[in-house]
């Protein structure tokens, strides 16, 4: 989108100008989440990949937003977003 703007061609006597508008491509999931079945006390690693780097995502359990804590860690490396849930218990289902 930073390429958007007015562009001019000038031959010394005349000019012609055009406006270029670049629309942002939608962000899509390239790699979706997969179901996991793990033992209590274990660690769950949930990862997804989006089509653009540095796009913020929000992790949720049901409708509740998950934030980084001792229980859950959230990482982003380029296009890959990972939620790690430590010391699993039945309430994490």
């Amino acid at each position: 989108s930073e390429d958007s703007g007015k562009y001019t061609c000038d031959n010394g006597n005349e000019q012609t100008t055009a406006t270029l508008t670049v629309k942002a491509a939608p962000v899509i999931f390239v790699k979706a989440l997969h179901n996991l079945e793990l033992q209590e006390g274990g660690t769950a690693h949930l990862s997804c990949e989006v089509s653009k780097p540095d796009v913020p995502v929000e992790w949720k359990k049901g409708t509740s937003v998950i934030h980084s804590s001792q229980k859950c860690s959230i990482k982003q490396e380029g296009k890959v977003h990972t939620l790690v849930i430590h010391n699993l218990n039945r309430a994490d289902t």
Side-chain angles (χ1 to χ4, degrees), residues 37-49:
E37 189 172 319
L38 301 168
Q39 296 292 318
E40 283 184 308
T43 301
H45 294 262
L46 297 166
S47 291
C48 62
E49 183 178 347

Side-chain angles (χ1 to χ4, degrees), residues 12-42:
N13 290 329
E14 295 181 307
Q15 293 181 340
T16 183
T17 302
T19 300
L20 172 64
T21 304
V22 179
K23 296 180 182 180
V27 178
I28 60 170
F29 286 101
V30 175
K31 179 183 169 196
L33 293 174
H34 295 284
N35 295 336
L36 296 175
E37 189 172 319
L38 301 168
Q39 296 292 318
E40 283 184 308

Side-chain angles (χ1 to χ4, degrees), residues 2-93:
E2 61 235 21
D3 293 324
S4 294
K6 282 191 172 185
Y7 288 83
T8 302
C9 183
D10 188 330
N11 70 6
N13 290 329
E14 295 181 307
Q15 293 181 340
T16 183
T17 302
T19 300
L20 172 64
T21 304
V22 179
K23 296 180 182 180
V27 178
I28 60 170
F29 286 101
V30 175
K31 179 183 169 196
L33 293 174
H34 295 284
N35 295 336
L36 296 175
E37 189 172 319
L38 301 168
Q39 296 292 318
E40 283 184 308
T43 301
H45 294 262
L46 297 166
S47 291
C48 62
E49 183 178 347
V50 292
S51 58
K52 292 183 180 182
D54 304 319
V55 172
V57 303
E58 188 173 65
W59 287 94
K60 294 181 179 183
K61 179 184 179 194
T63 58
S64 300
V65 176
I66 299 171
H67 300 284
S68 285
S69 64
Q70 287 183 338
K71 178 74 173 169
C72 299
S73 56
I74 297 172
K75 297 186 287 185
Q76 177 182 355
E77 294 178 10
K79 299 177 185 180
V80 178
H81 298 265
T82 304
L83 171 66
V84 180
I85 307 169
H86 306 279
N87 193 24
L88 292 170
N89 59 56
R90 292 179 62 92
D92 296 318
T93 296

